[in-house]
Amino acid sequence: MDLQQRIEASKKLLAHRRYSKRGKPERSLLTLSDLTKEQVMTIIDGGISIKNNPTKYRDLLKHKSVALIFKKTSTRTRCSFEIGISEMGGQALYMDWNTSNFTIASLEDEIKTLSRYVDAIVARVHKHEDLIIMKEHSEVPIINGLSNLYHPCQALADLMTIKEYFGELEGLNICYLGDGNDICHSLINGAGHAGINISIACPQNYLPNPEILEAVQRNNNIRIRIGSDPTELVKDADIIYTDTWIPMAIWTLTDNSNEKDLRIKAFSDFQVNRELLSHAPEHALVMHCLPAHREYEITADALNSENSIVFDQAENRKHVQKYLMPWILETI
Ligand code: CP
Ligand code: NVA
């Protein structure tokens, strides 16, 4: 081949590569509002099927690899994804953001590179905008493993757990107490999809994002109540849900005492404890996404009470994500 022929071949390859790379994936999951009601129900029911018959699904990620890139600490999300991937014959690649070159290079370049190696990427970030940048530049689906705004995988596991207990979701009442945070936002989105009424009791400065609330109210026929009196709001609750008053990003800061103290003071009337549970119907289930901070947002006796289903929630992270991954890859 003379030089001119080689140049022509190179040009051809370049043009070909531009148009034949893996292209944009059809599906990603940054927030539950990315999904339709029907898609959410399919994933929840899929999680229940996988839990009941894991063998049937054991090869669904064969020859597939999934990167898990985490900017914050994790127990449940990391372990449930890693084990779930391995149970379906795939390979999980865990990456600590802070010991990778994501710390020193552009997010665009690093995510483009990573997406050339794997079939999907799970990311836990501080800023939700980082996930949007990742989705824009990745050649493979991005799954939100927690951002400052949303935790959709947690909400999928929560809905799956509620469905296991109550059989049907529509028309139930959930009462969320505490911080109007990532968990609360995804629960609101999930409640909208599932037809669950939601009552939220938060201190004034820690209310959920009004745009998320308005969108869910606009698009769904559910009752949303915002209040500041937990005893009043739990009265008709089928489920009482709480989460940490102090986000992990603040727990892990060395100089966090001011912010921690401020929050503990602001949230002190919103604790889930035996006294509060005495105002709720006898059948009301207690939920928490974990990690919990006992004697802050929830007392140990409420967390360990006979109505607590927190460890079912934690377990169901694995089952529902096992369905979610092949669903996102469109191989199921
Ligand atoms: N609920 C949850 O996401 O837990 P981890 O932070 O331990 O992953
Ligand atoms: N909402 C908490 C826990 C999420 C698993 C946080 O952001 O730290």
Side-chain angles (χ1 to χ4, degrees), residues 72 76-77 124 145-148 151 154 176 179 181-184 243-244 246-251 288-291 293 317:
K72 296 190 267 191
R76 277 142 292 271
T77 306
R124 172 166 284 196
L146 176 67
S147 69
N148 61 321
H151 200 356
Q154 181 66 51
Y176 178 90
D179 192 6
N181 61 8
D182 38 43
I183 292 289
C184 181
D243 181 24
T244 182
I246 300 158
M248 63 182 79
I250 296 177
W251 271 108
H288 189 309
C289 60
L290 304 177
H293 304 290
R317 290 290 304 277

Side-chain angles (χ1 to χ4, degrees), residues 6-72:
R6 280 183 274 161
I7 291 170
E8 289 310 317
S10 164
K11 279 182 175 172
K12 208 169 144 191
L13 182 60
L14 201 55
H16 174 73
R17 195 162 54 82
R18 276 199 188 125
Y19 296 106
S20 72
K21 63 176 190 166
R22 287 154 106 179
K24 290 279 14 105
E26 285 291 317
R27 292 176 173 169
S28 270
L29 178 60
L30 302 200
T31 154
L32 285 191
S33 53
D34 289 346
L35 304 181
T36 64
K37 195 181 287 266
E38 290 69 31
Q39 288 173 330
V40 168
M41 294 310 142
T42 299
I43 296 164
I44 292 166
D45 290 340
I48 295 174
S49 298
I50 287 206
K51 185 174 183 175
N52 292 332
N53 191 359
T55 322
K56 186 176 156 198
Y57 300 88
R58 70 178 167 204
D59 290 331
L60 277 175
L61 289 181
K62 210 169 172 182
H63 307 304
K64 301 278 184 203
S65 53
V66 180
L68 310 170
I69 176 127
F70 281 50
K71 208 167 185 175
K72 296 190 267 191

Side-chain angles (χ1 to χ4, degrees), residues 53-118:
N53 191 359
T55 322
K56 186 176 156 198
Y57 300 88
R58 70 178 167 204
D59 290 331
L60 277 175
L61 289 181
K62 210 169 172 182
H63 307 304
K64 301 278 184 203
S65 53
V66 180
L68 310 170
I69 176 127
F70 281 50
K71 208 167 185 175
K72 296 190 267 191
T73 52
S74 169
T75 303
R76 277 142 292 271
T77 306
R78 174 180 177 177
C79 298
S80 58
F81 268 108
E82 280 201 41
I83 300 299
I85 292 161
S86 120
E87 284 180 1
M88 293 196 296
Q91 181 177 355
L93 170 72
Y94 176 75
M95 292 179 68
D96 174 6
W97 185 297
N98 302 308
T99 56
S100 76
N101 282 339
F102 276 78
T103 47
I104 57 163
S106 90
L107 182 52
E108 177 179 335
D109 293 347
E110 296 306 283
I111 206 73
K112 269 185 187 163
T113 307
L114 186 57
S115 76
R116 293 276 178 115
Y117 300 136
V118 297

Side-chain angles (χ1 to χ4, degrees), residues 120-299:
I121 297 170
V122 178
R124 172 166 284 196
V125 296
H126 288 294
K127 293 182 291 175
H128 192 75
E129 296 79 43
D130 281 352
L131 291 174
I132 295 170
I133 296 171
M134 288 180 174
K135 185 178 163 189
E136 194 181 328
H137 296 288
S138 172
E139 293 182 19
V140 298
I142 301 289
I143 299 173
N144 180 357
L146 176 67
S147 69
N148 61 321
L149 280 185
Y150 301 108
H151 200 356
C153 295
Q154 181 66 51
L156 287 171
D158 296 339
L159 292 177
M160 172 180 161
T161 311
I162 296 169
K163 188 159 187 185
E164 282 184 315
Y165 275 93
F166 286 104
E168 291 298 328
L169 297 172
E170 203 165 324
L172 292 172
N173 296 325
I174 189 160
C175 177
Y176 178 90
L177 300 170
D179 192 6
N181 61 8
D182 38 43
I183 292 289
C184 181
H185 292 156
S186 287
L187 199 63
I188 294 166
N189 281 333
H193 282 312
I196 299 178
N197 302 310
I198 185 159
S199 302
I200 300 164
C202 301
Q204 203 53 39
N205 292 338
Y206 298 93
L207 289 166
N209 182 319
E211 286 172 25
I212 295 171
L213 280 169
E214 278 158 28
V216 170
Q217 188 65 92
R218 201 170 44 247
N219 297 325
N220 300 283
N221 186 23
I222 61 165
R223 185 193 66 197
I224 301 180
R225 280 190 303 179
I226 306 285
S228 54
D229 179 2
T231 50
E232 189 53 38
L233 291 192
V234 297
K235 274 187 181 150
D236 65 353
D238 300 303
I239 299 125
I240 296 168
Y241 198 125
T242 191
D243 181 24
T244 182
W245 295 341
I246 300 158
M248 63 182 79
I250 296 177
W251 271 108
T252 48
L253 284 177
T254 34
D255 182 24
N256 61 9
S257 47
N258 228 356
E259 177 70 12
K260 258 178 87 173
D261 290 347
L262 248 163
R263 282 177 166 263
I264 290 166
K265 205 164 158 216
F267 287 106
S268 58
D269 292 335
F270 295 83
Q271 186 184 64
V272 175
N273 52 38
R274 284 275 185 193
E275 206 284 314
L276 180 72
L277 295 181
S278 73
H279 296 274
E282 206 186 336
H283 69 267
L285 301 177
V286 175
M287 297 182 77
H288 189 309
C289 60
L290 304 177
H293 304 290
R294 289 162 178 234
E295 313 312 326
Y296 290 92
E297 75 273 8
I298 190 164
T299 54

